[in-house]
Amino acid sequence: MAMAISSDLRAPCSLLMATLMLIIVQAQGITRHYNFNVQMANVTRLCATKSIVTVNGEYPGPALVAREGDRVLIRVTNHVAHNMTLHWHGIRQLRSGWADGPAYITQCPMQTGQSYLYNFTITGQRGTLWWHAHISWLRATVYGAIIVLPKHGVPYPFAAPHKEVPMIFGEWWKADTEKLVRQALKTGGAPNISDAFTINGLPGPFYNCSAKDTFKLKVEPGKTYMLRLINAALNDELFFAVANHTLTVVEVDAVYVKPFTVKTLIISPGQTTNVLLTAKPFYPKANFYMSAAPYSVIRPGTFDNTTVAGILEYQKPGGAPSASSFDKYLPLFKPTLPQFNDTGFVANFTSKLRSLATPQYPAAVPQSVDKRFFFTVGLGTLPCPVNATCQGPTNTTQFAAAVNNVSLVLPSTALLQSHFTGTSRGVYGSNFPIMPLKKFNYTGAPPNNTNVATGTKLLVLPFNSSVELVMQDTSILGIESHPLHLHGFNFFVVGQGVGNYNSVNDPAKFNLIDPVERNTVGVPAGGWVAIRFLADNPGVWFMHCHLEVHTTWGLRMAWLVLDGNLPNQKILPPPSDLPKC
């Protein structure tokens, strides 16, 4: 006979069960659901209105907020005339490569009217990341923040800020960027540069008609604020500073770093940086610009040499927190940013980045290496099509870019699907060169022949192999900094330098104790960078320059990481709603 539970026992039992369930949920995470509708919206900037691609009609798009350990389901429906994919930049996508998003690498794009459910779990990550379109140049307006909070009860490894504020840097063109890139590819020339930079979609007071479109941050004296900085610009690395304030860097690419304080920082497209800003202890009777301007060394190429600014304003004593406190009669201080080509500043800043390397947040740097690779990254040329005149470096060439002189041609079906289904014949080769086929003085006088090869080739890695990759900038068509982003992995930046990499002397200087861990790193202009990572995530993973113009020209490649032997070392089967080409 069943035994009834007396009413006086039921409540404590229920309370106990609820407590246990709460502990389990906190340990395992919860499932978070989002609906992202890709749709057109009219937006006015710089005195002109244009129709842009957005998510849910928002520019920038909605923030995606989750906790470490959460499962995230994002239903994306494409209501625009463009094909569409979304990439969750920096999310490791452990065994869930189908949700990574780069078009023709892990998925075919969603066509007009189609939907796709991105499904992934955030494992072992917390901090600031971001999402963006990953097809053509649509990420010009299709992007937003990803905020991954620590698990419940787990504090930051620094004093908790009073408030957290996402600040996304972007670029704005008056023209339609899809028409712009099509025209550039047709002529073989460089696409037109942007007309403005933006902070959270707003150009700010240094541009025509834009004083009203200025991002303003109101702070209270003595309080500390965490700025979650994201560089979503298509083609520009940016310096950032706040007048008369210092910034303490505490995290990059969703990995905590040893805190250090600066007046100015550098942030490349694809990168994120969390900084702590402590407001002055007393009302300063002044306002302060928060300014960003480009870093560029490419010559004779042009770039958007303008400055975006937001305004930091202080809450007046006795004033209501919600009331506008901006007073145009107060002094307005402007920060001094480095010169646009200050490579020394960039090298000095990046050298300060170090992992925490604590028991709770270890730096799991591979101490031994199974596979070593050497990649040249840079620009080049392709011959003009027959009976055509091009606007490239000469009228007989068009601009191109390459890794180890291979300019990746995207296939017409997704690489991951071809690999998983065993139908790779005719789609890709597995013979990507592990080093340059022809050696030359990479940062000296460029070779006479600047043409690159084209093809669809992958580099195959056994599961769990430890990888060391040196990426070397070249002087072909000018030295330039290249922010390289690796999908599916974090990596450790164990070394960098100027000039040509020396395989005998440079490894002795590698930092294998507390190197910074990230997903996007700048290959220094006229220099090299060395990274290490563990190939513990099966699938096909894109690696490319995050300067969109260079990716368009072919500065991109892909790694194929094979399955391991155990069930939890194999990529999961594709979802039933995976878009078809």
Side-chain angles (χ1 to χ4, degrees):
M1 188 174 71
M3 184 180 295
I5 298 176
S6 63
S7 59
D8 57 336
L9 290 176
R10 191 176 294 123
C13 266
S14 301
L15 183 61
L16 178 62
M17 287 300 294
T19 303
L20 286 172
M21 287 301 296
L22 180 61
I23 292 170
I24 291 169
V25 165
Q26 289 180 352
Q28 294 179 343
I30 62 173
T31 300
R32 297 179 185 264
H33 297 265
Y34 286 86
N35 282 308
F36 277 21
N37 289 294
V38 180
Q39 58 196 66
M40 304 303 292
N42 289 333
V43 173
T44 303
R45 296 288 184 271
L46 311 180
C47 316
T49 299
K50 73 171 185 175
S51 185
I52 65 170
V53 183
T54 70
V55 166
N56 297 348
E58 299 177 33
Y59 169 69
L64 192 159
V65 182
R67 287 193 182 275
E68 178 184 347
D70 285 354
R71 183 183 180 202
V72 182
L73 301 176
I74 308 121
R75 169 71 62 188
V76 179
T77 305
N78 184 15
H79 298 286
V80 302
H82 304 283
N83 285 354
M84 177 59 62
T85 72
L86 295 185
H87 169 53
W88 319 96
H89 184 114
I91 296 290
R92 284 286 319 272
Q93 298 293 359
L94 293 168
R95 302 172 62 215
S96 58
W98 309 106
D100 193 41
Y104 303 106
I105 304 294
T106 59
Q107 70 165 97
C108 299
M110 287 166 276
Q111 298 172 37
T112 306
Q114 291 184 337
S115 292
Y116 181 44
L117 183 69
Y118 289 93
N119 177 357
F120 55 87
T121 298
I122 303 172
T123 304
Q125 295 183 274
R126 79 295 303 165
T128 302
L129 296 169
W130 63 299
W131 59 265
H132 59 82
H134 213 304
I135 184 168
S136 190
W137 280 32
L138 290 170
R139 76 174 177 90
T141 57
V142 181
Y143 60 82
I146 300 176
I147 297 169
V148 183
L149 301 170
K151 291 181 178 180
H152 280 289
V154 178
Y156 295 131
F158 45 82
H162 172 65
K163 191 176 181 182
E164 302 178 14
V165 184
M167 290 179 61
I168 310 179
F169 304 113
E171 271 179 290
W172 182 264
W173 279 261
K174 292 180 182 177
D176 181 328
T177 50
E178 290 303 286
K179 291 180 181 176
L180 181 142
V181 69
R182 280 198 301 270
Q183 178 68 13
L185 289 173
K186 184 178 178 181
T187 64
N192 291 342
I193 59 172
S194 54
D195 297 294
F197 296 110
T198 58
I199 298 175
N200 290 347
L202 302 171
F206 300 154
Y207 298 102
N208 287 342
C209 302
S210 300
K212 68 183 187 309
D213 295 323
T214 300
F215 173 72
K216 293 176 182 174
L217 174 61
K218 183 191 248 183
V219 298
E220 297 178 45
K223 296 289 177 66
T224 297
Y225 296 78
M226 184 158 76
L227 309 183
R228 295 178 175 269
L229 306 177
I230 299 167
N231 188 347
L234 262 70
N235 293 315
D236 286 279
E237 302 179 84
L238 294 168
F239 296 115
F240 174 73
V242 180
N244 295 11
H245 291 71
T246 57
L247 305 170
T248 300
V249 180
V250 293
E251 177 203 301
V252 295
D253 291 1
V255 182
Y256 298 130
V257 297
K258 290 184 172 71
F260 64 98
T261 300
V262 295
K263 291 182 178 178
T264 305
L265 58 84
I266 180 78
I267 183 168
S268 297
Q271 292 182 337
T272 67
T273 304
N274 281 6
V275 296
L276 300 178
L277 181 150
T278 298
K280 296 181 180 300
F282 305 105
Y283 180 66
K285 297 181 180 178
N287 294 315
F288 306 90
Y289 279 125
M290 304 179 288
S291 300
Y295 163 60
S296 175
V297 299
I298 186 69
R299 297 296 167 271
T302 57
F303 64 101
D304 182 351
N305 194 14
T306 62
T307 301
V308 62
I311 295 176
L312 182 76
E313 53 187 36
Y314 277 73
Q315 185 175 320
K316 291 181 179 177
S322 59
S324 174
S325 60
F326 184 71
D327 185 341
K328 65 182 180 181
Y329 298 107
L330 289 176
L332 183 53
F333 291 100
K334 185 186 295 187
T336 301
L337 295 172
Q339 289 293 307
F340 64 81
N341 58 353
D342 194 341
T343 55
F345 174 90
V346 174
N348 183 53
F349 177 83
T350 54
S351 70
K352 294 176 181 176
L353 294 167
R354 293 280 188 273
S355 288
L356 277 184
T358 62
Q360 189 173 5
Y361 302 105
V365 193
Q367 297 296 308
S368 60
V369 174
D370 300 320
K371 302 284 185 180
R372 280 189 167 85
F373 305 103
F374 183 84
F375 290 177
T376 55
V377 296
L379 304 186
T381 57
L382 284 169
C384 220
V386 178
N387 298 326
T389 301
C390 284
Q391 297 174 6
T394 69
N395 62 10
T396 61
T397 60
Q398 53 188 318
F399 280 105
V403 180
N404 272 355
N405 211 50
V406 177
S407 185
L408 176 67
V409 177
L410 291 177
S412 56
T413 187
L415 294 172
L416 181 60
Q417 192 169 2
S418 302
H419 160 64
F420 188 85
T421 57
T423 56
S424 62
R425 184 184 295 274
V427 178
Y428 66 81
S430 301
N431 56 341
F432 187 87
I434 64 173
M435 63 180 62
L437 299 179
K438 291 184 180 179
K439 293 184 179 180
F440 60 96
N441 182 1
Y442 305 117
T443 54
N448 292 329
N449 183 0
T450 60
N451 282 348
V452 302
T454 58
T456 309
K457 303 177 180 182
L458 305 190
L459 206 163
V460 180
L461 293 173
F463 180 80
N464 233 25
S465 52
S466 55
V467 177
E468 180 179 286
L469 169 63
V470 176
M471 292 181 283
Q472 172 75 58
D473 184 34
T474 76
S475 59
I476 298 174
L477 301 185
I479 62 169
E480 188 166 2
S481 176
H482 298 279
L484 264 290
H485 171 48
L486 174 60
H487 291 228
F489 299 93
N490 281 353
F491 51 76
F492 292 93
V493 184
V494 296
Q496 57 187 340
V498 295
N500 294 338
Y501 173 71
N502 185 308
S503 60
V504 176
N505 298 328
D506 286 327
K509 305 173 212 166
F510 284 0
N511 175 10
L512 303 180
I513 306 299
D514 63 348
V516 67
E517 180 183 353
R518 54 190 328 164
N519 63 59
T520 305
V521 66
V523 179
W528 57 271
V529 65
I531 67 172
R532 287 188 180 185
F533 65 95
L534 189 66
D536 59 352
N537 194 8
V540 177
W541 303 107
F542 203 24
M543 191 174 82
H544 60 99
C545 183
H546 230 279
L547 301 178
E548 202 63 43
V549 62
H550 293 173
T551 295
T552 301
W553 286 340
L555 210 168
R556 53 196 182 188
M557 59 83 64
W559 305 83
L560 168 53
V561 180
L562 300 174
D563 281 348
N565 295 323
L566 301 177
N568 65 351
Q569 297 173 343
K570 301 179 189 299
I571 189 165
L572 297 168
S576 59
D577 64 340
L578 185 70
K580 295 178 174 59
C581 286

PDB file of all heavy atoms in Angstrom, residues 291-309:
ATOM      1  N   SER A 291      37.293  58.088 -27.333  1.00  0.00           N
ATOM      2  CA  SER A 291      37.591  58.186 -28.759  1.00  0.00           C
ATOM      3  C   SER A 291      38.282  56.937 -29.298  1.00  0.00           C
ATOM      4  O   SER A 291      39.073  56.297 -28.600  1.00  0.00           O
ATOM      5  CB  SER A 291      38.492  59.398 -29.038  1.00  0.00           C
ATOM      6  OG  SER A 291      37.864  60.586 -28.629  1.00  0.00           O
ATOM      7  N   ALA A 292      37.985  56.626 -30.570  1.00  0.00           N
ATOM      8  CA  ALA A 292      38.656  55.537 -31.276  1.00  0.00           C
ATOM      9  C   ALA A 292      39.039  56.023 -32.661  1.00  0.00           C
ATOM     10  O   ALA A 292      38.262  56.708 -33.336  1.00  0.00           O
ATOM     11  CB  ALA A 292      37.754  54.309 -31.373  1.00  0.00           C
ATOM     12  N   ALA A 293      40.264  55.670 -33.083  1.00  0.00           N
ATOM     13  CA  ALA A 293      40.775  56.050 -34.400  1.00  0.00           C
ATOM     14  C   ALA A 293      41.648  54.914 -34.925  1.00  0.00           C
ATOM     15  O   ALA A 293      42.162  54.110 -34.158  1.00  0.00           O
ATOM     16  CB  ALA A 293      41.572  57.356 -34.311  1.00  0.00           C
ATOM     17  N   PRO A 294      41.843  54.839 -36.244  1.00  0.00           N
ATOM     18  CA  PRO A 294      42.454  53.651 -36.832  1.00  0.00           C
ATOM     19  C   PRO A 294      43.973  53.561 -36.663  1.00  0.00           C
ATOM     20  O   PRO A 294      44.668  54.574 -36.576  1.00  0.00           O
ATOM     21  CB  PRO A 294      42.090  53.767 -38.317  1.00  0.00           C
ATOM     22  CG  PRO A 294      41.930  55.224 -38.532  1.00  0.00           C
ATOM     23  CD  PRO A 294      41.359  55.770 -37.261  1.00  0.00           C
ATOM     24  N   TYR A 295      44.442  52.312 -36.665  1.00  0.00           N
ATOM     25  CA  TYR A 295      45.857  51.970 -36.765  1.00  0.00           C
ATOM     26  C   TYR A 295      46.073  51.350 -38.134  1.00  0.00           C
ATOM     27  O   TYR A 295      45.395  50.372 -38.483  1.00  0.00           O
ATOM     28  CB  TYR A 295      46.240  50.976 -35.659  1.00  0.00           C
ATOM     29  CG  TYR A 295      47.553  50.245 -35.890  1.00  0.00           C
ATOM     30  CD1 TYR A 295      48.751  50.943 -36.020  1.00  0.00           C
ATOM     31  CD2 TYR A 295      47.588  48.855 -35.966  1.00  0.00           C
ATOM     32  CE1 TYR A 295      49.948  50.271 -36.231  1.00  0.00           C
ATOM     33  CE2 TYR A 295      48.776  48.179 -36.162  1.00  0.00           C
ATOM     34  CZ  TYR A 295      49.958  48.889 -36.295  1.00  0.00           C
ATOM     35  OH  TYR A 295      51.129  48.226 -36.505  1.00  0.00           O
ATOM     36  N   SER A 296      46.973  51.914 -38.924  1.00  0.00           N
ATOM     37  CA  SER A 296      47.203  51.394 -40.269  1.00  0.00           C
ATOM     38  C   SER A 296      48.608  51.754 -40.726  1.00  0.00           C
ATOM     39  O   SER A 296      49.054  52.891 -40.532  1.00  0.00           O
ATOM     40  CB  SER A 296      46.185  51.969 -41.252  1.00  0.00           C
ATOM     41  OG  SER A 296      46.467  51.566 -42.568  1.00  0.00           O
ATOM     42  N   VAL A 297      49.307  50.781 -41.330  1.00  0.00           N
ATOM     43  CA  VAL A 297      50.642  51.052 -41.861  1.00  0.00           C
ATOM     44  C   VAL A 297      50.703  50.821 -43.367  1.00  0.00           C
ATOM     45  O   VAL A 297      51.746  51.039 -43.979  1.00  0.00           O
ATOM     46  CB  VAL A 297      51.712  50.176 -41.165  1.00  0.00           C
ATOM     47  CG1 VAL A 297      51.756  50.470 -39.678  1.00  0.00           C
ATOM     48  CG2 VAL A 297      51.458  48.694 -41.422  1.00  0.00           C
ATOM     49  N   ILE A 298      49.629  50.348 -43.970  1.00  0.00           N
ATOM     50  CA  ILE A 298      49.659  50.018 -45.395  1.00  0.00           C
ATOM     51  C   ILE A 298      49.830  51.287 -46.228  1.00  0.00           C
ATOM     52  O   ILE A 298      49.132  52.276 -46.030  1.00  0.00           O
ATOM     53  CB  ILE A 298      48.394  49.238 -45.820  1.00  0.00           C
ATOM     54  CG1 ILE A 298      48.493  48.758 -47.268  1.00  0.00           C
ATOM     55  CG2 ILE A 298      47.133  50.052 -45.587  1.00  0.00           C
ATOM     56  CD1 ILE A 298      49.499  47.693 -47.512  1.00  0.00           C
ATOM     57  N   ARG A 299      50.756  51.272 -47.128  1.00  0.00           N
ATOM     58  CA  ARG A 299      50.975  52.366 -48.069  1.00  0.00           C
ATOM     59  C   ARG A 299      51.260  51.744 -49.443  1.00  0.00           C
ATOM     60  O   ARG A 299      51.981  50.760 -49.516  1.00  0.00           O
ATOM     61  CB  ARG A 299      52.151  53.243 -47.625  1.00  0.00           C
ATOM     62  CG  ARG A 299      51.930  53.955 -46.291  1.00  0.00           C
ATOM     63  CD  ARG A 299      50.759  54.959 -46.365  1.00  0.00           C
ATOM     64  NE  ARG A 299      50.390  55.380 -45.025  1.00  0.00           N
ATOM     65  CZ  ARG A 299      49.510  54.760 -44.259  1.00  0.00           C
ATOM     66  NH1 ARG A 299      48.890  53.693 -44.709  1.00  0.00           N
ATOM     67  NH2 ARG A 299      49.224  55.185 -43.068  1.00  0.00           N
ATOM     68  N   PRO A 300      50.710  52.284 -50.519  1.00  0.00           N
ATOM     69  CA  PRO A 300      49.989  53.551 -50.612  1.00  0.00           C
ATOM     70  C   PRO A 300      48.486  53.413 -50.405  1.00  0.00           C
ATOM     71  O   PRO A 300      47.715  54.285 -50.781  1.00  0.00           O
ATOM     72  CB  PRO A 300      50.297  53.974 -52.054  1.00  0.00           C
ATOM     73  CG  PRO A 300      50.365  52.669 -52.797  1.00  0.00           C
ATOM     74  CD  PRO A 300      50.947  51.678 -51.841  1.00  0.00           C
ATOM     75  N   GLY A 301      48.020  52.284 -49.844  1.00  0.00           N
ATOM     76  CA  GLY A 301      46.588  52.080 -49.660  1.00  0.00           C
ATOM     77  C   GLY A 301      45.960  53.149 -48.782  1.00  0.00           C
ATOM     78  O   GLY A 301      46.617  53.775 -47.945  1.00  0.00           O
ATOM     79  N   THR A 302      44.678  53.382 -48.980  1.00  0.00           N
ATOM     80  CA  THR A 302      43.953  54.377 -48.195  1.00  0.00           C
ATOM     81  C   THR A 302      43.166  53.693 -47.086  1.00  0.00           C
ATOM     82  O   THR A 302      42.900  52.490 -47.135  1.00  0.00           O
ATOM     83  CB  THR A 302      42.983  55.169 -49.095  1.00  0.00           C
ATOM     84  OG1 THR A 302      42.097  54.242 -49.727  1.00  0.00           O
ATOM     85  CG2 THR A 302      43.742  55.946 -50.153  1.00  0.00           C
ATOM     86  N   PHE A 303      42.805  54.463 -46.071  1.00  0.00           N
ATOM     87  CA  PHE A 303      41.998  53.935 -44.974  1.00  0.00           C
ATOM     88  C   PHE A 303      41.151  55.066 -44.421  1.00  0.00           C
ATOM     89  O   PHE A 303      41.391  56.244 -44.715  1.00  0.00           O
ATOM     90  CB  PHE A 303      42.889  53.309 -43.887  1.00  0.00           C
ATOM     91  CG  PHE A 303      43.801  54.300 -43.193  1.00  0.00           C
ATOM     92  CD1 PHE A 303      43.474  54.801 -41.947  1.00  0.00           C
ATOM     93  CD2 PHE A 303      44.977  54.729 -43.794  1.00  0.00           C
ATOM     94  CE1 PHE A 303      44.308  55.708 -41.310  1.00  0.00           C
ATOM     95  CE2 PHE A 303      45.818  55.632 -43.168  1.00  0.00           C
ATOM     96  CZ  PHE A 303      45.479  56.127 -41.921  1.00  0.00           C
ATOM     97  N   ASP A 304      40.174  54.717 -43.639  1.00  0.00           N
ATOM     98  CA  ASP A 304      39.249  55.699 -43.054  1.00  0.00           C
ATOM     99  C   ASP A 304      39.954  56.370 -41.877  1.00  0.00           C
ATOM    100  O   ASP A 304      39.913  55.884 -40.759  1.00  0.00           O
ATOM    101  CB  ASP A 304      37.964  54.984 -42.597  1.00  0.00           C
ATOM    102  CG  ASP A 304      36.925  55.949 -42.027  1.00  0.00           C
ATOM    103  OD1 ASP A 304      37.267  57.130 -41.826  1.00  0.00           O
ATOM    104  OD2 ASP A 304      35.801  55.510 -41.770  1.00  0.00           O
ATOM    105  N   ASN A 305      40.614  57.495 -42.148  1.00  0.00           N
ATOM    106  CA  ASN A 305      41.398  58.177 -41.107  1.00  0.00           C
ATOM    107  C   ASN A 305      40.538  59.207 -40.378  1.00  0.00           C
ATOM    108  O   ASN A 305      40.827  60.399 -40.371  1.00  0.00           O
ATOM    109  CB  ASN A 305      42.629  58.837 -41.733  1.00  0.00           C
ATOM    110  CG  ASN A 305      43.636  59.263 -40.674  1.00  0.00           C
ATOM    111  OD1 ASN A 305      43.542  58.859 -39.529  1.00  0.00           O
ATOM    112  ND2 ASN A 305      44.594  60.091 -41.065  1.00  0.00           N
ATOM    113  N   THR A 306      39.450  58.729 -39.780  1.00  0.00           N
ATOM    114  CA  THR A 306      38.561  59.596 -39.007  1.00  0.00           C
ATOM    115  C   THR A 306      38.491  59.086 -37.567  1.00  0.00           C
ATOM    116  O   THR A 306      39.061  58.041 -37.239  1.00  0.00           O
ATOM    117  CB  THR A 306      37.147  59.635 -39.620  1.00  0.00           C
ATOM    118  OG1 THR A 306      36.584  58.306 -39.582  1.00  0.00           O
ATOM    119  CG2 THR A 306      37.174  60.121 -41.060  1.00  0.00           C
ATOM    120  N   THR A 307      37.812  59.829 -36.725  1.00  0.00           N
ATOM    121  CA  THR A 307      37.738  59.495 -35.299  1.00  0.00           C
ATOM    122  C   THR A 307      36.281  59.443 -34.854  1.00  0.00           C
ATOM    123  O   THR A 307      35.508  60.359 -35.131  1.00  0.00           O
ATOM    124  CB  THR A 307      38.492  60.538 -34.456  1.00  0.00           C
ATOM    125  OG1 THR A 307      39.865  60.572 -34.866  1.00  0.00           O
ATOM    126  CG2 THR A 307      38.426  60.194 -32.974  1.00  0.00           C
ATOM    127  N   VAL A 308      35.936  58.361 -34.174  1.00  0.00           N
ATOM    128  CA  VAL A 308      34.605  58.258 -33.565  1.00  0.00           C
ATOM    129  C   VAL A 308      34.742  58.594 -32.087  1.00  0.00           C
ATOM    130  O   VAL A 308      35.764  58.273 -31.464  1.00  0.00           O
ATOM    131  CB  VAL A 308      34.014  56.850 -33.757  1.00  0.00           C
ATOM    132  CG1 VAL A 308      34.855  55.770 -33.093  1.00  0.00           C
ATOM    133  CG2 VAL A 308      32.574  56.790 -33.227  1.00  0.00           C
ATOM    134  N   ALA A 309      33.729  59.233 -31.551  1.00  0.00           N
ATOM    135  CA  ALA A 309      33.781  59.596 -30.136  1.00  0.00           C
ATOM    136  C   ALA A 309      32.413  59.439 -29.492  1.00  0.00           C
ATOM    137  O   ALA A 309      31.387  59.780 -30.078  1.00  0.00           O
ATOM    138  CB  ALA A 309      34.275  61.033 -29.962  1.00  0.00           C
TER     139      ALA A 309
END
